[in-house]
């Protein structure tokens, strides 16, 4: 069975600083990987996804993530954050050929301080 | 293209009551999934419906049920509400077939408070 671990429940940073949100997954087969963002009182919105090909994936709002198969990781990065990036971020994994139902991590709260 | 619509957005119930939540998926999407989101447990998968049939089910008690109609709209019902059912209930739609990857399109959720 697949599982996702988001190592940090909360990440505080100052505006314009770089940030990395960590995600590790556990799966015995190939995977699809996703990062979603949730702003207060809203649903989840897809930031980016890895399906195959290049291990560096670029998403919306200047975010990118790198798939590392050997370390089973899919860390999310942004070189310079804004106040508006304050939100909850969820990593998710699904297994092609299976049910495709994604498993979500518990989320990382990114708090950007001025 | 309209997004996923959930109603109601907010509701308050008392213990022992039941509640029905509604979800209209993106046009053309045949799969609807439901998730429960709480601060302590994160996002927990409830069930998924595809073409009016429950295709996948999470680990929730039988008090939680759902259905899907021929137009792909879905409802979920929680009977005999408990305080622990207070949560944000998220609906997500997807094509459910073809090049489906597991990517989900979420609604804004229905926030249920049980008193």
């Amino acid at each position: 069975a697949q599982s996702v671990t988001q190592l940090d429940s909360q990440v505080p940073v100052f505006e314009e600083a770089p940030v990395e949100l960590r995600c590790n997954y556990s799966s015995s087969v190939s995977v699809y990987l996703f990062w979603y963002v949730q702003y207060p009182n809203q649903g989840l919105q897809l930031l980016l996804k890895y399906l195959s090909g290049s291990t560096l994936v670029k998403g919306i709002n200047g975010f990118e993530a790198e798939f590392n198969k050997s370390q089973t990781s899919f860390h999310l990065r942004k070189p310079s954050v804004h106040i508006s990036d304050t939100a909850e971020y969820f990593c998710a994994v699904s297994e092609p050929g299976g049910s495709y139902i994604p498993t979500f991590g518990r989320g990382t709260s990114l708090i950007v301080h001025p | 293209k309209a997004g996923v619509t959930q109603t109601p957005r907010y509701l308050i119930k008392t213990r022992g009551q039941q509640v029905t939540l509604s979800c209209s998926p993106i046009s053309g999407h045949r799969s609807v999934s439901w998730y429960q989101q709480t601060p302590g447990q994160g996002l927990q998968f409830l069930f998924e419906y595809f073409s009016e049939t429950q295709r996948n089910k999470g680990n929730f008690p039988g008090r939680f049920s759902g259905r899907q109609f021929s137009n792909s709209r879905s409802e979920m019902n929680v009977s005999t509400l408990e305080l622990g059912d207070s949560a944000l209930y998220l609906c997500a739609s997807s094509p459910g077939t073809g090049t489906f990857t597991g990517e989900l399109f979420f609604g804004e959720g229905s926030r249920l408070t049980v008193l």
Side-chain angles (χ1 to χ4, degrees), chain B residues 8 10-21 77-78 80-83 85-86 111-115:
Chain B
Y10 302 92
L11 65 168
I12 300 173
K13 294 286 186 178
T14 56
R15 279 180 298 174
Q17 288 187 310
Q18 73 165 7
V19 65
T20 299
L21 309 178
N77 183 275
V78 188
T80 319
L81 284 166
E82 300 176 359
L83 295 179
D85 297 333
S86 294
R111 184 165 296 280
L112 170 65
T113 301
V114 182
L115 302 176

Side-chain angles (χ1 to χ4, degrees), chain B residues 60-78:
Chain B
F60 276 79
R63 299 187 297 107
F64 292 82
S65 63
R67 59 178 176 169
Q68 186 180 36
F69 302 96
S70 58
N71 61 358
S72 293
R73 190 177 70 86
S74 177
E75 290 181 346
M76 68 162 282
N77 183 275
V78 188

